Amino acid sequence: MEYNYHVPVMLQPCIDGLNIKPDGVYVDVTFGGGGHSKEILKHLGPKGRLIAFDQDPDAQRNIPADDRFIFIDQNFGFLKNNLRLNGFKEVDGILADLGVSSHQFDVPERGFSIRFNADLDMRMDPNGNLTAAEVLNSYSEDKLHKIFGIYGEVKNAKSLARAVVTARLEKSFTDIDSFKAAVSEYIPKGKENKYLAQVFQALRIEVNAEIKVLENFLEQAADVLKPGGHLVVMSYHSLEDRPVKNFMAKGKFHGEVEKDFFGNQQKPFNVLTRKAIMASEEEIASNNRARSAKLRIAEKI
């Protein structure tokens, strides 16, 4: 199944943020439907190169027939090694459009969406070992409490975790509908969709180790970008935006920026966006996914 082609969120600000040089080497670490990559290729000359990452097999059906394009079937948490394997030690710009693609939400059997009944899967890489079902059926109550509370910001995370552990004593969770039915009394009335979206976000982040992968990617991006190269990252919730903001500003995820003996700041980037760029009202009206998007841009020092 091919991706339904959607116009990417904040396409022009992303392209502008990359500051593309015709002969440069650029990386799109979240290829997906290929929308950003197609636009980047339009700005490259014959000697320019674009490397794209995606671990989702469906994405491979969108690979353009272009000699300047290289596709890497890998998680972007392995950015540095895979670039070197393909002969690139440094690049001129990197783009990351985080979160789940519209396509992944729209395919019921992937288990990402609360709209359909399907197996509790949620793996971005179908070859991954951990599924949402395994998280719900095997994690301790305390671990589930932390996942729901931290990754989903679910207000009754402790009660929900207890409900999951109690329900699975009778029957293991296998599909989305059985899970929703088992926890139905803990879902706030009138806020069902928002609540379940938060719970599913928490499960998805755990299954795909999204925060750790993001942190690994950011550290490697600092290593492979040339001085003057641009890092462009779009996130869709605070758990993603916070490490992006902190790393761009300080070169670390927690604490204050480090300084050398003379008091000079030791950080890899200069932030080019004082505040995150948000989508216009017009774009949000035509593409609901843009509503929560935050775009940040930094330049390698």
Side-chain angles (χ1 to χ4, degrees):
M1 178 190 297
E2 280 194 18
Y3 271 60
N4 291 322
Y5 178 71
H6 294 283
V7 175
V9 174
M10 288 194 273
L11 177 58
Q12 197 55 50
C14 287
I15 298 300
D16 292 344
L18 282 171
N19 190 32
I20 298 171
K21 296 179 285 190
D23 292 347
V25 177
Y26 295 87
V27 187
D28 178 358
V29 299
T30 47
F31 178 66
H36 284 117
S37 283
K38 289 170 188 171
E39 193 63 30
I40 292 168
L41 286 167
K42 290 178 186 177
H43 292 75
L44 291 178
K47 294 182 180 178
R49 291 291 179 270
L50 174 61
I51 304 112
F53 283 69
D54 208 300
Q55 61 189 346
D56 186 340
D58 287 343
Q60 297 186 39
R61 292 163 188 168
N62 304 303
I63 293 174
D66 194 311
D67 292 340
R68 302 167 299 169
F69 182 86
I70 298 167
F71 183 85
I72 297 175
D73 177 19
Q74 284 284 341
N75 183 302
F76 63 77
F78 305 108
L79 173 72
K80 188 174 179 178
N81 280 348
N82 280 289
L83 287 178
R84 293 202 167 192
L85 284 169
N86 282 273
F88 299 96
K89 287 188 177 180
E90 291 185 313
V91 299
D92 295 284
I94 301 173
L95 170 66
D97 181 1
L98 305 174
V100 183
S101 72
S102 302
H103 169 79
Q104 288 168 326
F105 274 126
D106 290 342
V107 177
E109 56 266 29
R110 300 298 294 273
F112 286 108
S113 176
I114 62 175
R115 291 177 291 151
F116 315 106
N117 187 34
D119 290 344
L120 285 159
D121 193 322
M122 301 194 194
R123 291 172 297 175
M124 290 185 178
D125 176 3
N127 295 316
N129 295 320
L130 187 63
T131 65
E134 188 170 338
V135 171
L136 291 169
N137 290 321
S138 67
Y139 277 26
S140 68
E141 183 178 327
D142 183 55
K143 198 168 181 182
L144 286 168
H145 173 203
K146 288 178 180 175
I147 289 168
F148 293 142
I150 296 171
Y151 292 163
E153 298 173 321
V154 176
K155 289 184 178 177
N156 63 347
K158 191 175 181 66
S159 302
L160 178 64
R162 189 178 303 119
V164 168
V165 171
T166 303
R168 75 190 188 196
L169 292 173
E170 288 188 28
K171 187 179 179 183
S172 295
F173 295 104
T174 57
D175 59 41
I176 290 168
D177 281 357
S178 70
F179 172 67
K180 285 158 72 170
V183 301
S184 59
E185 64 182 281
Y186 297 91
I187 302 173
K189 296 294 180 280
K191 297 182 179 178
E192 290 87 354
N193 286 347
K194 182 181 179 184
Y195 181 86
L196 286 168
Q198 288 175 291
V199 173
F200 272 45
Q201 173 181 293
L203 290 169
R204 191 198 79 226
I205 289 172
E206 176 64 17
V207 166
N208 298 289
E210 289 179 31
I211 304 306
K212 187 61 185 170
V213 168
L214 174 59
E215 290 179 352
N216 288 343
F217 157 69
L218 290 168
E219 290 173 339
Q220 292 171 55
D223 288 341
V224 302
L225 272 170
K226 295 177 183 176
H230 285 199
L231 174 62
V232 180
V233 183
M234 187 151 48
S235 59
Y236 294 87
H237 55 76
S238 59
L239 289 171
E240 293 173 338
D241 183 54
R242 198 175 300 122
V244 173
K245 181 181 178 181
N246 286 341
F247 194 77
M248 284 184 172
K250 305 172 185 177
K252 55 198 296 192
F253 302 109
H254 307 286
E256 293 306 310
V257 65
E258 294 181 5
K259 297 181 180 180
D260 66 12
F261 179 78
F262 300 101
N264 300 309
Q265 292 187 338
Q266 300 295 292
K267 59 178 188 173
F269 292 109
N270 280 326
V271 177
L272 301 181
T273 47
R274 193 173 63 84
K275 287 186 177 180
I277 298 170
M278 312 291 281
S280 67
E281 290 182 13
E282 291 79 10
E283 181 172 2
I284 293 169
S286 63
N287 184 359
N288 188 53
R289 189 166 180 255
R291 178 172 40 87
S292 56
K294 289 185 175 180
L295 182 67
R296 297 187 186 275
I297 304 165
E299 184 176 74
K300 175 73 179 291
I301 295 172

